[in-house]
Amino acid sequence: MDNIIYKKIDEIGVVAVLGTGSVGASWIALFLAHGLEVIAYDPSPNAPENVNDFVSNAWPALCELGRTKLPHPPLDRIRFVSSAGEAARMADVIQENCPEHLEIKKQLLYEVEAVAAPSKIILSSTGGIPPSAMQEACTYPERLVVLHPFNPTHLIPLVEVVGGRKTSPVVVDWAMDFARSLHKQPICLHAETNGHMANRLQFALMREAVACLQDGIASARDIDAAVRCGLGPRWALMGGLLTLHLAGGDKGMQGILDHAGQAIQEWWTPSASVTLTPELVQKLVNAAQEVSQGESVQHWVKWRDEGLVDVLKLQEKLGA
C-alpha cells in the first residue's frame, strides 16, 4: 500500500520493545541513550528488574562512547505493559525480539497487526528467519522489515536490514535511516537467506574452529588465540575481501588468486564433517571452561564491553 505515510525519523518518540531478553534489553539501553521512550512487553515476571539491571550496567559504555550525555540511565522512561498489543498501540514504531521460532513470531505479529495502525513500522531482530515467512501473519506485510543487530546490540554498530517480498522499499529506506539515527552502521541485503549474511560469515569460521577442536589440531585457547591475535586485529579495520586484495601486493586480488588460488580453494573447502553429537557438545562445554578460565559469563561480558569501547573508538578515529 504505497499511499501509507510513515512517521519521519525525527517524529519517533516512543518505541514498543516486544521481548526484553538480552537483545531487547540492549536495544532499550540504546533507545534511551538516544532520547527515546520505551513501552516494553515481556511475559517474564522478572523482566522489569532484569531490564533495569542490564541498562544500568550498559550505561557507562554508552557514556564513554558519547552516545548519551546523561550520567545515569533514565529508567523512568521505560514502562512495562501487560500485552504486546498494548505496547504496539501506544508506540510510534514496533521493535520485536521474541524467541527465534517462526510460529511464536507469527502469533505475536497477529496480536500486533490487530491493533497497530498501518503506518507503524515493525522492525524484527530475527537472526535468521526470512522476513517473507513472518509476513504470512501480517495484514500489512509491507511495513515489516528485519533490523538484525549483533551482540551486544547497544555497542556493536552493525545491523542487517532485510526486506521481505512484500516489504515496501520506503520501509527499507526508513529502517536504514532509523539505524543511522541510532549511531548504527546498517547494511542492506538484496536477497533473503537463512541466517541473513553476517551470521553465515561468522558461523563459517565457527564451523572451522569446532572442526579444529574436534580433530585435535590445537587447544581451545590456541584456536581462539588464532582469531584474537591474528585475524581479529586486521578484521577490526577491514573485511575479508579487502584483506585478500591487499595480500596480492601491487597486483591486488588478481595477484593473490594467480599466486595462491589453488591453495585457497583447498583451504576454504571443508575437510571434516561437524555434527553436534553428545560427544562434541561435551568437548565444546569443556572448551568454554578452558577459554573462560573458570570466570563467570558476567565477568567476561563486563570485560568484553569495556574492551569494545576502546576498539570502537579506534574504528571511529580511523574511519573504519
Side-chain angles (χ1 to χ4, degrees), residues 19-306:
T20 62
S22 59
V23 174
S26 198
W27 272 123
I28 289 173
L30 188 65
F31 293 148
L32 293 177
H34 285 81
L36 300 171
E37 295 184 30
V38 172
I39 306 294
Y41 166 71
D42 192 294
S44 169
N46 299 322
E49 180 182 357
N50 292 341
V51 165
N52 285 352
D53 287 346
F54 186 101
V55 172
S56 296
N57 291 330
W59 207 252
L62 289 165
C63 291
E64 183 70 16
L65 283 171
R67 304 297 185 258
T68 179
K69 295 182 179 179
L70 297 176
H72 304 289
L75 299 178
D76 59 335
R77 293 173 70 87
I78 309 170
R79 177 182 172 189
F80 273 82
V81 293
S82 60
S83 72
E86 184 179 1
R89 187 169 52 247
M90 298 171 65
D92 299 316
V93 64
I94 301 155
Q95 198 275 318
E96 173 274 316
N97 314 282
C98 72
E100 198 73 358
H101 298 286
L102 179 58
E103 291 309 313
I104 294 177
K105 290 188 182 293
K106 280 186 173 182
Q107 186 57 48
L108 181 133
L109 289 169
Y110 282 131
E111 184 177 349
V112 167
E113 288 274 339
V115 298
S119 59
K120 293 185 180 182
I121 289 172
I122 301 173
L123 307 167
S124 174
S125 288
T126 179
I129 297 175
S132 291
M134 292 187 288
Q135 286 176 328
E136 294 172 2
C138 296
T139 307
Y140 302 99
E142 65 277 359
R143 61 156 160 197
L144 184 142
V145 63
V146 167
L147 188 67
H148 173 228
F150 289 82
N151 189 37
T153 299
H154 62 287
L155 295 182
I156 296 295
L158 182 68
V159 287
E160 292 177 307
V161 175
V162 192
R165 287 189 296 273
K166 297 181 180 180
T167 304
S168 167
V170 172
V171 170
V172 172
D173 291 342
W174 190 99
M176 295 286 288
D177 288 340
F178 184 62
R180 294 186 187 103
S181 77
L182 298 171
H183 219 94
K184 289 287 193 182
Q185 176 61 56
I187 60 173
C188 183
L189 304 196
H190 299 158
E192 298 178 82
T193 179
N194 287 332
H196 309 320
M197 184 181 72
N199 269 340
R200 288 179 60 177
L201 294 173
Q202 72 168 335
F203 279 101
L205 176 61
M206 184 63 67
R207 182 204 173 284
E208 287 303 304
V210 173
C212 288
L213 183 70
Q214 175 180 262
D215 295 347
I217 291 173
S219 69
R221 280 196 189 184
D222 284 351
I223 291 169
D224 268 11
V227 177
R228 185 172 61 85
C229 302
L231 305 175
R234 277 196 315 221
W235 286 348
L237 300 177
M238 54 188 174
L241 296 176
L242 182 56
T243 298
L244 191 60
H245 178 55
L246 298 189
D250 292 342
K251 294 183 179 179
M253 184 69 80
Q254 188 67 59
I256 190 61
L257 295 179
D258 288 343
H259 175 70
Q262 184 57 48
I264 290 170
Q265 179 69 46
E266 294 173 2
W267 295 338
W268 72 29
T269 301
S271 58
S273 173
V274 178
T275 303
L276 287 174
T277 62
E279 294 76 18
L280 182 54
V281 168
Q282 188 58 54
K283 273 193 175 184
L284 289 170
V285 170
N286 294 342
Q289 287 299 309
E290 181 182 336
V291 297
S292 66
Q293 302 172 45
E295 295 283 358
S296 68
V297 170
Q298 290 78 11
H299 164 84
W300 286 108
V301 167
K302 183 174 184 293
W303 175 88
R304 175 201 66 190
D305 289 1
E306 290 174 351

